Amino acid sequence: MMRKGSLWGLIFILLLAILSGCSGKDTPSSGKESGETKGGDSPKEPVELSFWYGWTGPEGEALEKLIKKWNDANPDIKVKGLSQSDYQKQLTAITGGNPPDVASNFGKDVVPWGERGAMMPLDDYIKKDNVDLGDFVPAALSSSQSQGKTYAIPIAMHVSMLFYNKDMLEKAGLNGPPETMGQLKEYIAKLSVKENGGKLQQLGLWPGVDAFTFSYSYGGSFYDADKKQVTPDHAGVKAAIEFGKGIWDQFGSKELDRFASGLGQYMSPQNPFFTGKYAMTIDGEWLPTFIKQFAPNLKYGIAPIPYDDNNPNLKNPGNVTTSVFYIPKGVKHPDESWKFLKWITEPEQMAEFTAAIGNLPTRTSLQTHEIYKDVPGFKEFLQYSSSPNLRSFPATTFSSEYMTEFSTQYNAILRGEVSVDEGLKRVKDKIQPLVK
């Protein structure tokens, strides 16, 4: 999903040029809908919508069930689904003037795409149909909004929590999961095992994991909107980087690379957390479903992300990411596209889909829905999703470039290629000029 800034710039120059003449279809029509004939003398031809989504396998099958449900109830608007997880092809189709009628994407791409003209603003439709945006988790909805416009509707949200192997903690004499970042550091040291002349056999927690989530553990902030300043050097962000760097240096890049080369694939019985190579891991609400499938005998627990020892008010922190549906700019049937998008993000459909794929719903009214009672791990994650300390990465036109550069420099810092201060300075120097 990471893309180079130069490629983005080229693509969007083309995008803006091509879309400049497509501004006539971004508001609800007040007249007759597409496919409707004048005078009612001829049978109305059904409208066919193409719907590109990024899910594959069983998750794609769950979405196809909803598409069938729509098609059975709406013979005048037929939706044809296509599993297309290469999101770059969406941009290519949009810039080529032949976009899908509805598509999925990740929340981090919404504002960059929307502000540059690839997505239709939905606010007029939302107002016309009285869609209650107040029902959505604020941190999830914020990733789809910028400058007073809503470019997409979040269908699912993702929050990370701490997973721990109960047997391994018990063997190490640890009673329950760590609650603070200080405790987490101690746990990692106790649960990491070296044998055979110092070779790493077991890790307490992979040290390069999710600097975004841990930044919120320390109250970090990535952007000052009032001052229009990117803040990768914020004290909370820097504390998270230093935490990861400290753990990384306990083992060293050479030994961690050797250890990682022997780890199994994520979606398999050889997932390092399933096999005991990791005693703890930071992961999302889908992991319990995978554990049920690939490691049903694993004894594990789910706990909140640890918080800064000095700031108890930061308890239950987290980083929210989303999956969204949107209408590309330039579609031929915007009214029909909206009807389908609105329908599929309504509570009934959202509940069916998110429960089937083990993702969290973005509507607060669904957080106690009985459909989730049998989804593994959802009791913990649904409760966690109401935490006031959940944050999402700032939705800006440069968020993709920002996150990519931050991750690049974070990796360089971990590997000792650059100091913490220099790495964060490089992020700021590269991203600040993109702020308008």
Side-chain angles (χ1 to χ4, degrees):
M1 290 297 298
M2 298 301 178
R3 306 172 179 84
K4 294 182 179 179
S6 58
L7 179 59
W8 266 92
L10 178 59
I11 288 172
F12 279 117
I13 288 172
L14 291 171
L15 179 66
L16 287 172
I18 293 172
L19 293 178
S20 60
C22 300
S23 59
K25 296 181 178 180
D26 58 355
T27 57
S29 68
S30 56
K32 294 181 178 180
E33 298 170 355
S34 300
E36 189 172 358
T37 57
K38 293 181 178 180
D41 295 328
S42 303
K44 187 169 64 176
E45 293 293 330
V47 171
E48 183 171 291
L49 302 180
S50 61
F51 174 34
W52 291 9
Y53 54 82
W55 291 275
T56 61
E59 296 177 332
E61 292 172 5
L63 200 51
E64 286 293 337
K65 287 183 179 178
L66 280 182
I67 294 173
K68 183 179 185 304
K69 179 181 176 181
W70 165 271
N71 285 335
D72 289 345
N74 297 275
D76 57 328
I77 304 175
K78 287 293 183 183
V79 174
K80 186 176 182 179
L82 174 65
S83 178
Q84 177 53 270
S85 56
D86 184 350
Y87 294 94
Q88 196 63 39
K89 289 187 176 178
Q90 290 185 13
L91 273 180
T92 301
I94 296 169
T95 56
N98 188 31
D101 294 284
V102 182
S104 74
N105 208 320
F106 296 116
K108 68 182 182 62
D109 284 335
V110 171
V111 173
W113 288 35
E115 289 286 299
R116 288 162 172 160
M119 295 181 175
M120 278 181 52
L122 303 175
D123 303 279
D124 290 339
Y125 285 119
I126 290 169
K127 182 178 180 180
K128 179 174 75 72
D129 288 342
N130 296 315
V131 175
D132 182 14
L133 294 184
D135 189 29
F136 289 82
V137 174
L141 183 63
S142 66
S143 66
S144 295
Q145 296 178 317
S146 177
Q147 306 292 329
K149 295 181 179 179
T150 303
Y151 291 104
I153 302 295
I155 181 68
M157 67 179 235
H158 319 289
V159 179
S160 295
M161 295 186 72
L162 177 72
F163 289 78
Y164 60 97
N165 185 312
K166 290 184 176 180
D167 288 339
M168 294 173 73
L169 262 65
E170 182 178 352
K171 184 179 179 180
L174 299 169
N175 183 24
E179 296 183 1
T180 68
M181 294 300 287
Q183 291 174 359
L184 178 61
K185 185 176 181 179
E186 295 174 0
Y187 274 51
I188 293 172
K190 288 184 178 180
L191 291 166
S192 298
V193 177
K194 289 184 176 181
E195 295 176 349
N196 300 326
K199 289 187 176 181
L200 194 57
Q201 302 296 311
Q202 172 187 305
L203 259 178
L205 179 75
W206 180 258
V209 66
D210 203 346
F212 297 105
T213 292
F214 283 148
S215 291
Y216 299 131
S217 294
Y218 287 106
S221 175
F222 290 89
Y223 184 58
D224 187 328
D226 293 334
K227 296 180 180 178
K228 292 189 174 183
Q229 291 286 319
V230 296
T231 56
D233 51 354
H234 186 279
V237 178
K238 184 177 179 180
I241 298 295
E242 291 175 336
F243 176 86
K245 176 63 173 171
I247 302 301
W248 187 278
D249 287 349
Q250 290 179 23
F251 309 104
S253 297
K254 183 177 180 179
E255 182 56 19
L256 285 169
D257 288 342
R258 184 203 63 77
F259 179 74
S261 67
L263 300 177
Q265 293 184 352
Y266 180 80
M267 287 185 63
S268 78
Q270 285 71 48
N271 180 305
F273 181 63
F274 303 166
T275 60
K277 288 294 185 180
Y278 295 166
M280 300 180 290
T281 191
I282 305 295
D283 218 316
E285 70 280 357
W286 53 85
L287 191 64
T289 299
F290 293 163
I291 293 174
K292 182 179 180 180
Q293 180 179 357
F294 297 119
N297 296 321
L298 179 66
K299 295 181 180 178
Y300 71 98
I302 305 172
I305 297 294
Y307 58 92
D308 182 8
D309 301 60
N310 299 316
N311 290 289
N313 59 322
L314 295 176
K315 194 174 183 178
N316 296 333
N319 180 38
V320 173
T321 59
T322 59
S323 297
V324 306
F325 291 139
Y326 75 98
I327 301 175
K329 194 73 173 286
V331 297
K332 297 177 182 177
H333 309 289
D335 292 349
E336 288 79 1
S337 296
W338 166 250
K339 285 184 176 179
F340 176 68
L341 191 156
K342 174 178 175 289
W343 175 85
I344 204 169
T345 55
E346 288 175 345
E348 180 179 337
Q349 283 68 242
M350 180 182 287
E352 291 180 21
F353 181 56
T354 54
I357 67 174
N359 282 185
L360 295 169
T362 56
R363 288 182 177 271
T364 57
S365 59
L366 294 177
Q367 290 180 349
T368 57
H369 198 293
E370 64 176 10
I371 197 172
Y372 301 109
K373 67 179 182 181
D374 295 326
V375 180
F378 257 48
K379 178 181 177 182
E380 292 86 349
F381 273 94
L382 285 171
Q383 182 177 3
Y384 202 63
S385 66
S386 63
S387 168
N389 287 326
L390 298 184
R391 300 287 184 271
S392 61
F393 195 83
T396 64
T397 57
F398 49 86
S399 57
S400 291
E401 292 92 336
Y402 193 174
M403 294 174 74
T404 298
E405 183 62 17
F406 183 81
S407 297
T408 298
Q409 294 303 328
Y410 180 47
N411 186 59
I413 290 169
L414 291 177
R415 292 183 174 280
E417 298 168 359
V418 63
S419 69
V420 173
D421 289 335
E422 178 60 24
L424 297 179
K425 182 178 183 299
R426 289 184 181 183
V427 177
K428 192 164 190 172
D429 289 346
K430 184 171 183 176
I431 303 303
Q432 185 60 43
L434 302 180
V435 180
K436 297 179 181 178

